[in-house]
Amino acid sequence: MRLHVLSVPMTPSSHDGRWDARLWAALAVLCAVIFLDALDVSMVGVALPSIQDDLGLSTSSLQWVVSGYVLGYGGLLLLGGRTADLLGRRRVFLAALAVFAAASLLGGLVNDGTLLIAARFVKGVSAAFTAPAALSIITTTFPEGPARNRALSVFTASGASGFSLGLVISGFLTELGWRWTFLMPVPVAIIALVAALRVLPRHAGEQRAEGGHDIVGAVTITGSMLLLVFAVVEAPEAGWGSFRTIASLVGAAVLLAAFVLTERRVKHPLVRLGILRSGPIVRANLGLVILFGSYVGFQFVAMQYFQNFLRWSALETALAFLPAGLLVAVTSTKMGDLADRFGTARLIAIGSAALAAGYAFFLQVNDDPGLATLVIPGMVLLGIAFALSFPSLNIQATNGVADDEQGLASGLLNTSGQVGGAVVLAVVTAVLTSSTSADPIDGFRAAIAVSGILAAVGLVIALTGLRGRRTEAVEAEDGKVLETV
């Protein structure tokens, strides 16, 4: 596989698989950016009470500080992934990273809630372009197999660590002031941008997808994703049976149907539907919906439980998540070797079992939870789940995909995670707020049970991937071949 993203061949530099300094530098830049993207998803959570007090936001407005980012990220990921394929991954990556840095600076300086929400939306949009571009640079740079699995394990470890450690970092920064949770990414993004300009220079050999732009497909799928995310985010406040929620969901369904019809007829589709004929790719996307969605919902419940019910400080709450974050950061880089040895299906199945066990553990929440008997064991199980599943899902979702569709595959996977997070968070919020029990613990348990049920479904899906571990070729209508394992 000869693809050039740098000015030197982007392949392992020796027969023993070692990579040279320039290749490591490129991977480090991509990892730094995905770390920032993931960090932004979780870091703002602990700072929300301080933001509300300082800017005088209502509860409904405050949720948009989180939802604005999810709306931009989840709504535009598919477009971002395909844009990287069509316009060039390096170009899209650099432009989006510059926008991310500017929006981060704006978010840390504004004194108006509307401007803060707008900055968060722009950051989400920029991440929708940097994440799939970065992932597709890696998957088109490293040949499928041990080299790619190793690179993806490092890359996904950075993303998982950013998400897991975001709460911990936010706890420390919030003690200094909530604005630091927005300003801290600025210098890191600028340094990454300067480094990317040096280690990812222009190269005429960078391959791009052939074909024109599917404008109708881009408009319909983006509109559908935006309406879907908007509907589920607003539903807890507006009501699931309200006209606004129903109209948004119907609109999302109509636009999605229009998108599918367009992709079946257009000459150069935004999403070649044949990519979904691969069982492993479909299972990987469903797996990330459940992994990320269930954890976002659990994280929201845990914040309410630790801070509002137990009256823990922001820092104490953040430290409760530290075991999971450290476990992911320390072990995820080894997942590539494990995937080579045991296969992604087995790792995902074990990770899914750990995820379900972790949520089952937290169903024991009470008025005085023990750190050693409840909190730490439960967090360790969730950390094991993320460490095993997240890198394996990324590897499985991109294996066997043609180079000119790696951005598409990356965008599909990231879209699955973000939309899953938005939908599950809305359901969990509705369960938590609608509890009529006199004991708040009952509401927390019911909300955690939502994540637990999802994890159980994910385990069943993962187990189906263990059947028939043979390799077969699936040929799409246009002749492209997807390898399923």
Side-chain angles (χ1 to χ4, degrees):
M1 180 179 298
R2 296 183 59 203
L3 283 176
H4 301 278
V5 179
L6 302 184
S7 58
V8 294
M10 288 281 287
T11 54
S13 57
S14 67
H15 295 294
D16 61 5
R18 289 182 298 175
W19 303 337
D20 59 27
R22 195 177 185 89
L23 190 59
W24 273 113
L27 184 59
V29 168
L30 300 174
C31 288
V33 173
I34 198 64
F35 181 87
L36 286 179
D37 287 348
L39 198 71
D40 237 52
V41 175
S42 62
M43 192 165 60
V44 73
V46 177
L48 287 176
S50 298
I51 294 173
Q52 184 174 27
D53 292 341
D54 192 22
L55 299 184
L57 298 178
S58 65
T59 302
S60 59
S61 297
L62 185 67
Q63 72 162 338
W64 278 103
V65 177
V66 177
S67 301
Y69 187 92
V70 174
L71 187 64
Y73 199 175
L76 295 170
L77 266 166
L78 277 180
L79 181 60
R82 195 54 178 160
T83 299
D85 287 337
L86 292 171
L87 301 183
R89 301 172 183 102
R90 176 190 180 276
R91 177 185 298 177
V92 170
F93 178 80
L94 293 175
L97 182 55
V99 173
F100 183 92
S104 296
L105 180 61
L106 175 64
L109 297 178
V110 298
N111 289 306
D112 178 76
T114 301
L115 288 177
L116 179 63
I117 294 169
R120 290 284 295 170
F121 177 78
V122 173
K123 288 182 75 173
V125 170
S126 65
F129 286 81
T130 57
L135 182 55
S136 60
I137 287 174
I138 290 177
T139 54
T140 55
T141 294
F142 296 90
E144 186 173 320
R148 182 186 292 180
N149 291 350
R150 182 186 179 193
L152 281 176
S153 69
V154 175
F155 181 74
T156 55
S158 301
S161 299
F163 183 75
S164 299
L165 296 176
L167 292 173
V168 181
I169 296 173
S170 180
F172 285 100
L173 292 178
T174 302
E175 295 293 324
L176 301 175
W178 67 264
R179 294 183 184 277
W180 288 105
T181 62
F182 291 85
L183 295 174
M184 186 276 286
V186 176
V188 180
I190 292 174
I191 292 171
L193 180 60
V194 172
L197 288 169
R198 292 180 62 86
V199 302
L200 298 175
R202 291 184 180 86
H203 197 283
E206 181 175 310
Q207 294 186 4
R208 300 180 187 177
E210 297 180 356
H213 295 272
D214 178 14
I215 302 300
V216 176
V219 171
T220 52
I221 190 60
T222 300
S224 177
M225 292 296 100
L226 288 173
L227 274 177
L228 175 61
V229 176
F230 175 80
V232 298
V233 166
E234 285 286 282
E237 181 180 353
W240 287 97
S242 69
F243 174 79
R244 182 170 66 182
T245 300
I246 294 175
S248 297
L249 291 174
V250 170
V254 170
L255 287 174
L256 181 61
F259 169 75
V260 172
L261 290 175
T262 299
E263 300 312 279
R264 292 176 63 89
R265 297 175 180 177
V266 72
K267 184 177 180 180
H268 300 293
L270 178 70
V271 176
R272 185 178 62 82
L273 299 180
I275 198 172
L276 298 178
R277 295 176 62 186
S278 167
I281 290 178
V282 172
R283 285 194 296 272
N285 279 269
L286 290 175
L288 195 61
V289 167
I290 291 170
L291 176 67
F292 189 74
S294 66
Y295 187 76
V296 168
F298 167 77
Q299 185 184 91
F300 178 79
V301 177
M303 287 295 172
Q304 305 300 311
Y305 173 65
F306 289 139
Q307 292 194 69
N308 294 343
F309 183 74
L310 297 180
R311 299 299 178 184
W312 288 10
S313 68
L315 184 57
E316 288 172 326
T317 301
L319 290 176
F321 286 85
L322 185 59
L326 287 179
L327 189 60
V328 171
V330 170
T331 64
S332 287
T333 56
K334 307 298 182 183
M335 290 304 111
D337 295 336
L338 291 179
D340 294 335
R341 183 174 180 181
F342 300 108
T344 56
R346 289 178 179 174
L347 298 184
I348 293 170
I350 297 172
S352 299
L355 188 71
Y359 295 138
F361 223 91
F362 275 104
L363 287 175
Q364 306 173 65
V365 292
N366 51 53
D367 295 341
D368 186 22
L371 283 175
T373 58
L374 176 60
V375 178
I376 293 178
M379 288 297 180
V380 167
L381 285 168
L382 296 181
I384 291 172
F386 254 88
L388 290 173
S389 298
F390 192 66
S392 301
L393 290 169
N394 277 267
I395 293 170
Q396 185 167 297
T398 54
N399 276 353
V401 178
D403 290 339
D404 63 352
E405 291 188 326
Q406 285 292 333
L408 167 60
S410 305
L412 281 172
L413 185 67
N414 282 283
T415 299
S416 297
Q418 292 302 314
V419 173
V423 172
V424 178
L425 177 59
V427 173
V428 166
T429 301
V431 170
L432 187 62
T433 56
S434 63
S435 175
T436 57
S437 174
D439 187 356
I441 293 295
D442 292 337
F444 292 129
R445 288 174 180 161
I448 293 172
V450 174
S451 293
I453 292 171
L454 273 177
V457 173
L459 178 58
V460 173
I461 294 173
L463 291 176
T464 64
L466 297 177
R467 297 182 307 171
R469 292 171 51 80
R470 66 184 184 277
T471 301
E472 57 180 314
V474 178
E475 188 170 348
E477 294 177 359
D478 58 4
K480 291 188 177 181
V481 174
L482 289 172
E483 184 179 289
T484 64
V485 180

